[in-house]
Amino acid sequence: MTQTEELFERDRAPLVRHAYHMLGSMSDAEDVVQDAFVRWYRERRDDVRDPHAYLRTTVTHLSLDRLRANKRSREEYIGPWLPEPILVDESATPEHVVTIAEDISFAFLLALERLSPLERAAFLLHDALDVPFAEIARTLERSEESVRRLASRARRAIHEERDRRIPPALDADTLRKQFTTAVLSGDVAQITALLTDDVVLLTDGGGKKAAAINPVVGADRVGRFLEGVVRKGLSQIPEVRPATINGLPGFLALGLDGLDGAWALELQGEKIAAVYVWRNPDKLAAIATATGLPICLPHDAAGG
C-alpha cells in the first residue's frame, strides 16, 4: 500500500464523520472528503508538510461553502428538513454500537443544526477532533480569541440540549413493536396510547413524496395523522424491518419496489415523544447503500 493509500484509509472515516456533522448529509460528506483528497493529491501534495491538517482544513472549508450554498435551498425546502438518517450496525459489539450511536445521535445532529456554520466548525474541530485553537483560527481565518468564543457558545448550546435529552425507554424493542403493530393496523386509540401528550411528528418528503408539510404536534393529532397514512397506502407496505437509526429505535418501510421510508422513534420512559420519518429519496441513499435495497421512486405517493 502506498503512502497516499495509507493516508486515505486512515483519514477518510474521521473526515467523513466530521463533514457529516457539518452538513447533516452523508452523501454530501463523502463528496466533500473525496474532493479534498483530490485537491491534495493533484494540487498541493508535494508542498504540504502536514497532510492531516491540510485535509481537515480543506474539508472544513468545503463544508462551510456547501452550507452557505445550501442556505437558500434549505429555506425553500418543502416541509421539515431532517438530517440524513444513518443505520447503526447492531451486529457490532454493544460498546461499539453505543459509541457510534452517540456520535451520530439525532439529538446531537439537531443541536448542531441550531448553531451557526462557524460555531459548528469551531466546536467540531476542537471538541470532536481535538484540534488546537491556534490551528482552528488559521482554518476559519479568525483570531484565536474569536474561535474560542465560537466554540464556547456552541458547547453551551450542545450541553443544554443534552441536558434536556429524553431518557431512553425501559424496553425500546417492545415499544417499537407495539408502535409498528398499532400504526399498521390504523388503530388511533392504540397509537395514541403509546404517545406522550406533546409528541411531535416530523416527515421529510422534500416535495418528492407525500409527507406532512408542517410538524404534527399532540397525541391525538399524530394518531389521526398516522391513521390517515395507513388509509393512503402504508398498509400496503409488504415488509417492515426493525432498525436502529442514528441511535434511535426505528424501522424501514419496504415497498414493492424497495425502500419506501425510514422511521425513528425518540422515547420517553414507556412512551414515544417524537417520530421522525424520511421519505425523500435523496435522504435514503446512505441506508439504501448499507442495505443493498433499491429506493422506491417518487411516483409512489403513498403516505408514511
Side-chain angles (χ1 to χ4, degrees):
M1 182 179 291
T2 67
Q3 184 177 5
T4 299
E5 291 170 335
E6 289 178 357
L7 179 68
F8 183 80
E9 288 298 320
R10 182 172 59 181
D11 283 20
R12 181 183 179 279
L15 288 173
V16 169
R17 187 165 59 249
H18 175 54
Y20 175 62
H21 286 154
M22 286 287 295
L23 298 168
S25 167
M26 185 58 71
S27 55
D28 284 351
E30 291 174 340
D31 288 346
V32 160
V33 172
Q34 185 67 30
D35 192 5
F37 271 99
V38 169
R39 291 185 183 204
W40 169 73
Y41 186 82
R42 291 182 177 176
E43 301 174 14
R44 301 284 301 278
R45 183 176 50 154
D46 295 335
D47 301 329
V48 175
R49 288 182 297 177
D50 187 346
H52 308 291
Y54 173 83
L55 289 167
R56 268 198 311 267
T57 297
T58 303
V59 167
T60 301
H61 282 165
L62 291 173
S63 296
L64 288 170
D65 288 344
R66 289 214 176 196
L67 282 175
R68 296 183 183 110
N70 290 342
K71 181 178 180 181
R72 182 173 179 179
S73 63
R74 289 278 184 92
E75 292 171 348
E76 297 175 348
Y77 196 82
I78 299 175
W81 184 96
L82 296 176
E84 185 176 348
I86 303 297
L87 282 183
V88 175
D89 182 5
E90 297 180 338
S91 66
T93 63
E95 294 79 9
H96 183 65
V97 169
V98 170
T99 300
I100 295 298
E102 290 180 350
D103 187 53
I104 60 173
S105 77
F106 206 61
F108 182 51
L109 291 173
L110 288 177
L112 290 173
E113 281 295 316
R114 298 185 182 101
L115 304 177
S116 73
L118 288 177
E119 287 173 340
R120 195 181 312 184
F123 170 78
L124 290 171
L125 286 169
H126 185 265
D127 287 45
L129 297 181
D130 200 27
V131 178
F133 280 119
E135 181 181 325
I136 299 173
R138 292 192 296 271
T139 297
L140 300 183
E141 299 178 341
R142 297 289 191 278
S143 69
E144 189 168 337
E145 180 59 31
S146 175
V147 297
R148 285 181 182 273
R149 289 196 297 269
L150 287 169
S152 179
R153 287 199 300 269
R155 192 177 303 114
R156 284 197 301 271
I158 294 291
H159 287 171
E160 287 172 3
E161 187 66 31
R162 284 178 171 170
D163 288 342
R164 292 196 297 269
R165 283 187 63 180
I166 298 170
L170 299 177
D171 190 342
D173 188 53
T174 297
L175 189 51
R176 171 172 50 192
K177 290 177 181 176
Q178 291 174 344
F179 178 78
T180 304
T181 300
V183 169
L184 291 178
S185 69
D187 187 329
V188 175
Q190 189 179 1
I191 295 171
T192 304
L194 298 171
L195 308 175
T196 62
D197 291 340
D198 57 351
V199 64
V200 178
L201 180 143
L202 300 173
T203 58
D204 185 336
K208 298 183 177 182
K209 279 197 172 182
I213 299 299
N214 299 305
V216 183
V217 182
D220 183 64
R221 292 184 64 194
V222 170
R224 295 190 180 282
F225 174 82
L226 292 176
E227 186 270 338
V229 165
V230 173
R231 282 191 287 104
K232 294 176 183 177
L234 186 61
S235 59
Q236 299 173 16
I237 295 294
E239 181 182 353
V240 172
R241 182 181 300 178
T244 298
I245 300 172
N246 290 81
L248 299 178
F251 56 88
L252 306 181
L254 307 184
L256 295 175
D257 299 326
L259 181 62
D260 183 75
W263 296 54
L265 310 175
E266 192 172 273
L267 310 178
Q268 180 178 6
E270 297 180 352
K271 292 199 173 185
I272 297 165
V275 181
Y276 306 106
V277 184
W278 293 264
R279 299 204 70 228
N280 183 347
D282 298 338
K283 296 291 185 73
L284 298 174
I287 289 181
T289 299
T291 59
L293 293 167
I295 300 173
C296 288
L297 299 177
H299 66 75
D300 171 23

